[in-house]
Amino acid sequence: MSGAEAKGPVLALREAIVAALARDAALTAMLGGATIHDEAPRGARGVYAVFSETRLRDWSTGSDQGHEQDVAISVWSVEGGARMALRAAARIGELLDGAALTPDGHRLVNLRVTSSETRRDTRADRSRVVLRLRAVTEVLSTRN
């Protein structure tokens, strides 16, 4: 098994998403630097984004190994209400919907924003926008 196969489709897609979003100056300004975290940064202020749940399903054909992923990205706004989180989530959606990403060891067949949901967490005094994406990937053949 090659290193690319060992990485798996979820990690490969996440890395491609992070790389694509990090290249956008407008988004990094909204988020104050880093684009998407694996977990909420300690002492977070302002707006930040984290990968939420991911569901992976087999999407193989008779000739190709593939996967369908439902990916959630949560954008939190600690200050400034939901407006700031909504702006950042909208920018993430613009950048990712239909994007031609290149996940390591995989070919991205398609990537689409499927929904978004906004909530207010009154206990934590934060707003959250959950952006949901659907991706289909195929494992690149390692045969020569």
Side-chain angles (χ1 to χ4, degrees):
M1 180 179 284
S2 76
E5 287 177 325
K7 185 174 284 184
V10 173
L11 183 56
L13 181 62
R14 281 185 176 200
E15 289 176 354
I17 287 172
V18 168
L21 296 180
R23 291 189 292 269
D24 188 72
L27 179 63
T28 56
M30 285 182 215
L31 298 177
T35 54
I36 301 184
H37 305 276
D38 286 325
E39 60 183 52
R42 291 182 183 234
R45 308 292 307 157
V47 179
Y48 62 92
V50 296
F51 283 107
S52 298
E53 65 276 353
T54 298
R55 184 179 343 175
L56 179 72
R57 288 182 293 281
D58 182 56
W59 199 258
S60 299
T61 65
S63 60
D64 296 306
Q65 181 184 3
H67 301 91
E68 178 186 41
Q69 295 183 48
D70 293 319
V71 179
I73 297 173
S74 292
V75 181
W76 292 88
S77 179
V78 180
E79 301 159 342
R83 181 177 303 205
M84 300 304 290
L86 285 164
R87 283 184 182 160
R91 185 66 185 153
I92 291 169
E94 289 172 14
L95 294 168
L96 295 180
D97 192 53
L101 306 180
T102 54
D104 187 21
H106 303 266
R107 182 177 78 83
L108 181 63
V109 176
N110 66 29
L111 177 63
R112 294 285 179 236
V113 173
T114 58
S115 68
S116 92
E117 177 182 337
T118 306
R119 289 190 177 171
R120 179 89 183 141
D121 183 338
T122 54
R123 290 185 323 163
D125 194 29
R126 298 175 186 209
S127 295
R128 177 177 75 159
V129 178
V130 178
L131 189 65
R132 297 193 188 280
L133 307 148
R134 177 185 177 269
V136 176
T137 58
E138 293 175 342
V139 176
L140 293 177
S141 175
T142 57
R143 293 175 284 198
N144 293 333

